[in-house]
Amino acid sequence: MTVATKSHIVKRRIDDYVWRDDTLASRRLRHVLAIHFHQFDNVAIVGGMVRDFARVGKLGFKSDVDLVIDAPVEAVADMAKSVNARTNAFGGHSISEMGWNVDFWALKSTWAIREGHVAADKLEDFTRSTFFNYDAALYDVRRRRVLHDETYLHGLQSRVMEINLRPTPMVLGNLYRAVRRILLWNLSPGSKLKSFITENLDNDGFRDVVAMDNRKSATPFLYRYKSASELRQSVICRDYRVAMATYYGEQLDLPGLAQGPIHSSV
């Protein structure tokens, strides 16, 4: 399945999976959404699920579900307490049920909005608060609509990942995500993301992202790179990746150096 060219294609893909598929996973997801989140009028699926369905459809979706709720912070906290949700990073909550891990936040408690980097009065304002442009889309659960700006799908089609909002409390985490996504999905970084990578992928950053990859990923591969400069060049320059692939041949089968598409969660 290819990158969606129109918003209605993304909507259809997600509609099918969430509301029409009769697989066990889809039925369980519908159940979790219904029993825990039906009380809120404005709930959106954000993050990896929307991005992956837009990029490659359900075969590329392997992540958990992230939700943002446009409701008072106290109301979301009360619901989280009633279902014994765990506290997650940066003011959110987590539940694990029926095979699904769901992280959820009140809109006003999400980091960039809470810290004043983005003013938010409605669900779609969340799309301006993500670090990556690839994550700047959401699916309104009740109204079954996909929301993003006019540049979102072009960014996916052109395979250019860029910074959407620069302030972040997770410099290392977003550096790690940038490196893995660019290599696994064979992307190019935009000018702002290229500067971010150049600034932070020094020797210390290289050591830290390799350690994070070994610790967090089921398929670590960054340890195969020899130095910060080699990894940095591979991430920043697609031509360098091709040259590396030619140079190493079959001796070094690195994700991101293959010519075909590679689908993996990040």
Side-chain angles (χ1 to χ4, degrees):
M1 191 173 287
T2 59
V3 175
T5 56
K6 300 290 184 182
S7 183
H8 70 84
I9 298 174
V10 185
K11 167 182 161 54
R12 186 183 69 240
R13 291 176 181 179
I14 300 177
D15 282 349
D16 285 344
Y17 186 82
V18 175
W19 305 114
R20 292 189 277 269
D21 278 10
D22 196 39
T23 62
L24 181 61
S26 291
R27 295 199 309 270
R28 286 178 169 179
L29 177 58
R30 285 194 288 273
H31 180 75
V32 171
L33 291 173
I35 64 173
H36 293 313
F37 301 99
H38 72 282
Q39 63 186 284
F40 300 109
D41 187 53
N42 296 297
V43 179
I45 298 173
V46 301
M49 183 173 183
V50 182
R51 178 198 67 226
D52 292 342
F53 272 78
R55 287 182 55 248
V56 290
K58 69 179 181 181
L59 293 180
F61 172 58
K62 298 179 176 67
S63 66
D64 301 332
V65 174
D66 295 331
L67 302 175
V68 168
I69 305 167
D70 185 9
V73 173
E74 297 79 8
V76 176
D78 287 344
M79 185 277 283
K81 184 177 180 181
S82 73
V83 298
N84 297 315
R86 304 177 303 278
T87 299
N88 66 15
F90 307 109
H93 313 276
S94 297
I95 58 173
S96 297
E97 191 166 326
M98 302 186 76
W100 285 99
N101 296 316
V102 180
D103 289 339
F104 59 97
W105 293 260
L107 176 66
K108 293 294 179 70
S109 72
T110 55
W111 183 83
I113 293 168
R114 187 181 72 237
E115 295 297 315
H117 298 295
V118 173
D121 298 311
K122 52 191 180 301
L123 273 179
E124 49 261 51
D125 292 329
F126 178 79
T127 63
R128 296 185 289 110
S129 73
T130 64
F131 184 79
F132 296 105
N133 67 327
Y134 267 44
D135 298 329
L138 60 82
Y139 177 80
D140 184 332
V141 172
R142 187 176 293 275
R143 296 162 190 83
R144 303 189 186 185
R145 56 180 181 159
V146 172
L147 300 172
H148 53 73
D149 71 15
E150 65 278 4
T151 67
Y152 179 72
L153 292 178
H154 175 72
L156 299 186
Q157 292 157 20
S158 64
R159 306 178 72 88
V160 175
M161 192 164 69
E162 181 59 288
I163 289 177
N164 184 40
L165 180 74
R166 175 65 191 258
T168 178
M170 302 182 293
V171 172
L172 176 60
N174 282 324
L175 178 64
Y176 170 66
R177 292 180 186 90
V179 168
R180 276 189 63 95
R181 291 179 184 181
I182 288 169
L183 293 178
L184 287 170
W185 301 342
N186 197 22
L187 308 178
S188 293
S191 59
K192 290 183 289 186
L193 185 54
K194 188 180 296 184
S195 296
F196 175 82
I197 293 166
T198 301
E199 176 184 336
N200 292 288
L201 192 53
D202 53 14
N203 289 335
D204 289 339
F206 174 69
R207 179 198 63 218
D208 291 341
V209 297
V210 170
M212 183 173 285
D213 194 41
N214 289 336
R215 184 175 68 252
K216 291 181 60 125
S217 176
T219 56
F221 65 89
L222 298 182
Y223 67 88
R224 301 182 188 181
Y225 287 88
K226 297 177 181 178
S227 66
S229 61
E230 182 179 273
L231 178 58
R232 189 169 55 245
Q233 287 285 18
S234 293
V235 171
I236 288 174
C237 181
R238 291 176 74 181
D239 289 341
Y240 183 83
R241 270 175 257 163
V242 173
M244 285 278 288
T246 302
Y247 176 75
Y248 283 113
E250 296 181 358
Q251 298 178 41
L252 188 59
D253 182 18
L254 292 176
L257 299 185
Q259 298 303 305
I262 298 173
H263 304 317
S264 174
S265 58
V266 176

